[in-house]
Amino acid sequence: MNHDEQKAVLAIALYAAFADGVKNDHERQEVRRIADALAEQSGAPDLARLYQDVLLKRLPLASAAAALTDPGQRQLAYEMAVCVCEADGRLADAERRFLATLQPLLGLDSAQAALIEGEVDDIVDQSEAGAPVNSGIAVANTPPSTLAAQPKVAEAELDQSILKHALLNGALELLPQSWASMAIIPLQIRMVYGIGRAHGVELDQGHIKEFIAAAGVGLTSQYLEQFGRKLLGGLLGKAAGKTFGKTAGKTSGKVGGAAVGMAFSFATTYALGMVAKRYYAGGRTMHTAMLRDAFQNLLGPAKQLQAQYLPQIQQQASTLDAGQIMALLRASTEHPA
């Protein structure tokens, strides 16, 4: 993609992020932070300005769509929009209306749009299967004093589980398939679920998402950052929307140079896992500000650790395929993986 085409796809992704009204200032700030971070990529469009252009409607959605003339790029843009909209769960009505507007602007017929939406829904389905949706327990409101005595936790096993999830998520970010990053958030949910359960706390998915957000990891903004780095790093192919269900392995040629400076999902997942371990081991007494401070304090060392493990992340990315990813998402959460 050339500079203008990258700008157009990123603008459409930003429109998708704002489609639900961007419910709070923190989420808006997170999207802005992502734009600023991506702007540091070599040759990137002026994303700080692009953020403002989208927010203030100076770059209309129709204009961004019209800048994409290649059918593969249009399909990719729609797939990215669906992924961004569904990154935090099922589509809201406002997001459905946005996608219904975007589809004809990109010249996609109903069958093409339905195929893309179905592929992304497969990932979301596995996300919802990764932890109980409604456990019937008001976990977030349970005072620490009422919790059952915590079992003895094998710290080494939990540390190994966190590392394995971090390595896998770093590898997923490096795959050229656009949908691969959609598996990162479900696996983070699984990881937190396993950590809570190891400490005797049964969690539902709603609480886990609240915990992740409280730590300062926005679900939509996290996916937007993964997608932006992948796009600007040259990992996405023109026909990315057609790759779901096909082999994603043998990607070492594409992963090589583009991997340097990427795989940020390793650091995010590792820091999140370590915060979760502290939080549930301590009886869930940390408030939101403490959670965010703990996450930020752990993120720096996690990035250093990421550099140490980069060869392993690259090696794992070169061997992953779609079947393995879906199997991991379907795997039982009975024990931390």
Side-chain angles (χ1 to χ4, degrees):
M1 286 189 184
N2 62 35
H3 182 277
D4 289 338
E5 290 163 344
Q6 285 182 338
K7 178 180 175 181
V9 176
L10 286 167
I12 290 170
L14 285 170
Y15 267 108
F18 294 145
D20 63 353
V22 187
K23 301 177 183 63
N24 57 62
D25 289 339
H26 174 69
E27 187 176 355
R28 190 185 297 269
Q29 290 167 5
E30 271 296 290
V31 175
R32 175 61 184 268
R33 182 191 66 78
I34 298 309
D36 290 343
L38 292 175
E40 298 173 2
Q41 297 279 321
S42 177
D46 185 348
L47 291 172
R49 180 172 180 175
L50 180 61
Y51 169 90
Q52 292 293 335
D53 288 344
V54 169
L55 196 62
L56 300 176
K57 304 291 174 48
R58 291 192 298 240
L59 174 60
L61 180 64
S63 298
L68 301 173
T69 58
D70 181 88
Q73 292 175 357
R74 291 180 175 182
Q75 184 172 341
L76 173 63
Y78 190 76
E79 182 177 337
M80 291 303 96
V82 175
C83 287
V84 170
C85 286
E86 294 209 40
D88 58 352
R90 294 293 178 183
L91 296 176
D93 289 343
E95 291 168 326
R96 293 186 186 280
R97 290 194 295 271
F98 165 75
L99 292 174
T101 299
L102 179 62
Q103 176 194 328
L105 291 177
L106 291 171
L108 298 179
D109 60 37
S110 298
Q112 288 175 295
L115 178 62
I116 292 171
E117 291 165 14
E119 291 170 350
V120 177
D121 281 344
D122 282 343
I123 294 289
V124 177
D125 287 342
Q126 300 312 316
S127 169
E128 293 182 346
V133 177
N134 289 301
S135 66
I137 302 173
V139 178
N141 297 319
T142 304
S145 60
T146 68
L147 298 177
Q150 294 183 357
K152 291 184 178 179
V153 177
E155 294 287 336
E157 290 182 16
L158 278 185
D159 288 346
Q160 186 62 25
S161 172
I162 292 168
L163 178 60
K164 287 169 66 176
H165 278 90
L167 288 169
L168 177 58
N169 280 349
L172 287 171
E173 188 177 347
L174 296 185
L175 292 180
Q177 285 74 13
S178 58
W179 57 267
S181 292
M182 284 294 290
I184 290 172
I185 292 169
L187 289 170
Q188 288 176 342
I189 290 172
R190 267 192 56 200
M191 176 186 69
V192 174
Y193 174 71
I195 292 169
R197 190 164 192 179
H199 288 93
V201 182
E202 289 287 346
L203 305 174
D204 64 26
Q205 190 170 141
H207 171 77
I208 296 171
K209 288 183 177 181
E210 288 176 6
F211 168 80
I212 292 174
V217 184
L219 301 181
T220 299
S221 56
Q222 183 182 187
Y223 180 76
L224 187 64
E225 181 169 23
Q226 293 156 4
F227 158 64
R229 290 188 184 281
K230 191 173 289 190
L231 175 68
L232 298 175
L235 287 177
L236 287 175
K238 287 203 301 183
K242 300 179 181 178
T243 60
F244 186 86
K246 297 183 181 179
T247 299
K250 303 178 181 178
T251 61
S252 55
K254 295 182 181 179
V255 167
V260 179
M262 291 183 63
F264 275 78
S265 292
F266 172 95
T268 299
T269 303
Y270 190 85
L272 182 65
M274 288 301 175
V275 170
K277 193 175 75 164
R278 290 184 186 179
Y279 179 67
Y280 294 109
R284 294 176 288 163
T285 58
M286 299 170 71
H287 54 69
T288 299
M290 291 176 65
L291 281 173
R292 290 190 178 171
D293 285 347
F295 176 77
Q296 290 300 322
N297 290 336
L298 287 164
L299 196 56
K303 288 179 179 178
Q304 295 178 348
L305 199 60
Q306 166 190 301
Q308 175 184 331
Y309 281 101
L310 184 58
Q312 288 177 242
I313 295 171
Q314 290 175 297
Q315 193 279 331
Q316 191 162 359
S318 71
T319 59
L320 279 173
D321 61 42
Q324 288 174 299
I325 295 167
M326 293 303 289
L328 285 165
L329 288 171
R330 293 189 187 103
S332 169
T333 57
E334 192 68 25
H335 301 286

